[in-house]
Amino acid sequence: MSAHQYDHGHTAAGWVGTGIASVGAAVAGAGVCFVSGVLIAGGLGIGMVALLVTWALHLAGWGKGPGIRPREEWGWRVRDSGARAGHDECLGCRLAGRRRTASGRTAEVAVGVSVRGDVSLGGEPEAAAVGADSGR
């Protein structure tokens, strides 16, 4: 069993982008401390590089689109094989000109959902239904 039960969105694109952006923030912060416009501009430039690198890695399949991924794709070292077609409702994919119909990845995720037996909520068993609104 995995240490975490939820997809936290850890991806290679996210880790690399965060690392580069952290360096950019440190350089810009040093520029503020030393009152140096060159360091501030350099830090902001590094931040833009972080944005572009993260976007490129996302488009190459090392990021994730919005929504829930199947459990086998939760690891941050797992490449997204469907990234070439674009992700549903993903701004980065739309900016790159990648569009996907609503029946694309969403249908793949919905097929992979499995529900077993009864679900116990507050001590009382209920029949499990995917996407059902219990009204509680």
Side-chain angles (χ1 to χ4, degrees):
M1 181 177 266
S2 175
H4 57 86
Q5 299 300 315
Y6 303 99
D7 176 19
H8 295 289
H10 301 292
T11 62
W15 284 106
V16 170
T18 300
I20 296 172
S22 297
V23 170
V27 170
V32 169
C33 290
F34 295 122
V35 191
S36 170
V38 174
L39 283 178
I40 293 172
L44 293 175
I46 293 171
M48 290 302 297
V49 168
L51 179 72
L52 294 174
V53 166
T54 304
W55 186 31
L57 286 171
H58 170 78
L59 294 176
W62 292 108
K64 87 177 224 42
I68 300 171
R69 294 185 290 182
R71 187 173 184 89
E72 57 271 1
E73 292 182 15
W74 282 9
W76 69 274
R77 295 182 195 130
V78 177
R79 194 167 183 183
D80 183 6
S81 60
R84 283 198 169 273
H87 298 106
D88 293 334
E89 301 178 17
C90 177
L91 177 63
C93 291
R94 281 189 304 216
L95 289 174
R98 297 181 181 179
R99 300 198 184 267
R100 182 186 281 190
T101 62
S103 63
R105 184 173 174 89
T106 305
E108 293 172 18
V109 172
V111 170
V113 174
S114 63
V115 178
R116 291 183 229 138
D118 292 339
V119 177
S120 179
L121 298 172
E124 41 183 276
E126 292 183 0
V130 176
D133 194 6
S134 65
R136 289 185 183 196

